């Protein structure tokens, strides 16, 4: 009862806030452009002068500013410590010198299902001395290979060079602890700096064409306003900014044909800074156990169960994990009873009569590809779209199933996409009637990792408002939001797409959609808990588990 009432109040406040917020215009973020570093695959370099974009549009509303501050605080990283360039590695975190220890549970080395397992990580530097401050980016996973079981660990930074890693114990048998250093704390300020100073490190271009004339110019979320005339493609509905330099020839801004990635800025970091990003040394590198990295988990204690249900104080298993793998299948801990959709007819039955709209980046396109491959009766309609960009559409006429994929708008960073296919997710959602036959799946994160977090917050805020509007007019619409996932990291990849950027976006996304009636597919944990290597495009078994999660939510098993 109280739960419902407080949910109702929450929704009411949220709606009120959104109404207020809607009265204000959006503002455009500004940042420094550094044209000196731009090497743009054969295009003329941007203007030679380093400058700031002038402040465009309106300031954020007080509510937006407050929310933004709260979100930024929620993902704040420990203050960087001074870093000595004269001995760049010596005092930085070294996985090879660092260790973790599995701590006894309540003084005993005995663990039962329902307990927690705690490991203590002690970080040392390259000279073997203990670190005295926190901020290392660690990932932890508990797993049992023969059971194909795995769960993500929760890492707690004590701020003094030690970290606790907590795992819920959810199955019996031998379990192993994996701890990985993704980045030493010293690498994080480097990432922070390039994120703030080089938000334009992925370059974008557009082709303008009319008759025999054609010209390509550079584009971005923000360009200097006083150097060259701009074409303003700010979205009239959401206010999302996008600009291109106006073609020099007699081509109007209306003659923009496509949008594409134009390359990357180079030389963003110094040689010494690059030492902080060495694969197998201090970039995504395992930390070893001091003694054993494994324990045996015994069956759940009987008396413990009774104590828990009888006593008000004893909380049920408190776990921050959103789910875990067992026998290779993901089991969500959020309430949805998982059901395996192993044969195509079960999926077809579930999706019968439904329209499935997928919006976002290639990580949701994978769902589209999975379903079109797996369901023989789902026929792809040829829209003559390029393979990576879409849009795509597939239909199963006998079962009245429609599947559509539409990429999100700029800053999508791909091979050329027609401007007519550049759509903002929020606007697409506004174009849906919704209802119990409509499933919406959204995944938008990977192309935002090179921008300041504020850009992502603003984008998600627009999407959230559109989701709220959709659920208001058609409450039975199923809305699924997929979070960010882990990916492979080399030096170059991590400068553009570090998991550290992703974990920040992931934190924002999860906070943004909290409390809404949506299904969150926790791709972060689903890729962390799985034994397959991290990949921007998670492997088919992970995708299948994500699809199962969605379908279990769409078609719950009736008791
Ligand atoms: C671009 O257009 C938007 C809205 O149409 C406006 O708010 C913004 O100031 C314009 N930008 C420039 C640089 O004129
Ligand atoms: C860094 O460590 C190495 C050996 O661990 C040592 O030889 C060297 O002098 C150290 N450099 C500085 C500047 O402390
Ligand atoms: C680090 O902090 C934790 C939590 O405050 C404390 O328990 C631990 O003793 C500290 N360790 C060191 C080495 O200072
Ligand atoms: C994009 O637009 C051009 C014309 O401007 C057209 O020739 C091309 O087929 C379009 N591509 C797609 C995928 O729609
Ligand atoms: C990432 O950025 C670097 C420059 O720092 C660049 O050389 C590299 O090609 C970029 N792209 C990828 C996919 O790593």
């Amino acid at each position: 009862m109280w739960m419902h009432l407080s949910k109702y109040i929450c929704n009411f406040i949220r709606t009120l806030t959104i109404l207020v917020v809607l009265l204000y215009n959006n503002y455009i973020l500004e940042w420094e452009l550094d044209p000196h570093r731009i090497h743009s695959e054969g295009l003329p370099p941007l203007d030679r002068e380093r400058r700031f974009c002038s402040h465009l549009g309106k300031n954020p509303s007080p509510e937006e500013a407050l929310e933004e501050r709260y979100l930024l605080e929620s993902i704040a990283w420990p203050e960087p410590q001074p870093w000595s360039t004269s001995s760049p590695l010596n005092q930085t975190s070294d996985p090879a010198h660092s260790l973790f220890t599995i701590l006894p549970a309540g003084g005993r080395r005995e663990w039962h299902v329902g307990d927690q397992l705690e490991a203590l990580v002690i970080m040392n530097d390259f000279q073997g001395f203990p670190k005295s401050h926190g901020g290392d980016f660690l990932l932890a996973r508990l797993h049992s290979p023969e059971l194909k079981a795995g769960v993500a660990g929760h890492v707690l930074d004590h701020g003094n060079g030690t970290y606790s890693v907590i795992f819920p114990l959810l199955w019996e048998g031998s379990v192993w602890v994996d701890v990985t250093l993704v980045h030493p704390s010293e690498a994080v300020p480097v990432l922070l700096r390039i994120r703030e100073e080089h938000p334009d490190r992925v370059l974008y271009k557009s082709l303008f064409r009319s008759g025999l004339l054609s010209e390509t110019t550079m584009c971005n979320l923000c360009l200097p306003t006083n150097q060259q005339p701009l074409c303003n493609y700010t979205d009239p509905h959401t206010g999302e900014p996008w600009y291109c330099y106006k073609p020099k020839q007699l081509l109007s801004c209306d003659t923009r044909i496509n949008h594409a990635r134009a390359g990357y800025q180079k030389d963003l970091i110094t040689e010494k800074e690059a030492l902080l990003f060495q694969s197998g040394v201090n970039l995504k590198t395992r930390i070893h156990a001091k003694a054993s990295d494994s324990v045996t988990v015994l069956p759940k204690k009987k008396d413990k169960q009774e104590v828990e249900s009888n006593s008000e104080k004893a909380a049920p298993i408190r776990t921050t994990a959103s789910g875990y793998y067992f026998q290779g299948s993901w089991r969500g801990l959020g309430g949805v009873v998982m059901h395996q959709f192993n044969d195509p007819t079960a999926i077809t039955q579930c999706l019968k009569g439904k329209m499935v709209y997928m919006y976002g980046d290639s990580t949701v396109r994978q769902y589209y590809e999975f379903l079109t491959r797996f369901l023989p009766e789902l026929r792809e309609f040829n829209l003559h779209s390029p393979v990576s960009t879409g849009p795509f559409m597939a239909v199963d006429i006998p079962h009245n199933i429609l599947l559509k994929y539409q990429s999100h708008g700029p800053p999508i960073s791909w091979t050329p996409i027609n401007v007519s296919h550049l759509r903002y997710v929020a606007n697409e959602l506004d174009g849906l009637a919704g209802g119990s036959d409509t499933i919406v799946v959204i995944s938008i994160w990977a192309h935002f990792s090179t921008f300041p977090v504020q850009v992502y917050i603003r984008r998600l805020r627009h999407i959230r408002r559109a989701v709220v509007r959709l659920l208001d007019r058609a409450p039975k619409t199923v809305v699924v939001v997929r979070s960010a996932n882990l990916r492979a990291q080399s030096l170059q990849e991590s400068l553009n797409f570090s998991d550290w950027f992703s974990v920040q976006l992931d934190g924002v996304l999860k906070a943004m959609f909290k409390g809404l009636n949506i299904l969150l597919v926790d791709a972060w944990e689903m890729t962390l808990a799985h034994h397959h290597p991290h990949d921007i495009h998670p492997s088919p078994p992970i995708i299948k588990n994500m699809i199962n999660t969605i379908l279990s939510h769409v078609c719950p098993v009736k008791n």
Side-chain angles (χ1 to χ4, degrees), residues 337 556-559:
V337 179
V557 190
K558 292 193 184 84
N559 290 327

Side-chain angles (χ1 to χ4, degrees), residues 209 257 383-386 389-391 418 420-421:
R209 194 176 60 210
I257 298 287
L383 295 172
H384 304 284
S385 299
T389 59
N418 275 7
S420 54
H421 294 149

Side-chain angles (χ1 to χ4, degrees), residues 166-217:
I166 321 274
F167 302 99
L169 294 176
L170 300 161
W171 63 89
E172 292 172 37
S174 301
V175 293
W176 278 263
V177 173
D178 267 7
V179 180
T180 300
L181 177 82
V182 184
H183 291 302
S185 61
E186 291 79 8
V188 173
V190 178
L191 296 172
L192 257 171
R193 177 175 61 75
I194 56 179
R195 189 176 67 186
E196 301 308 317
E197 291 180 7
H198 303 282
D200 50 349
R201 64 194 181 281
V202 176
L203 306 168
Y204 305 88
K205 63 184 177 185
S206 270
L207 170 69
F208 294 78
R209 194 176 60 210
S210 179
L212 294 174
L213 284 181
S214 72
E215 186 174 332
T216 298
T217 74

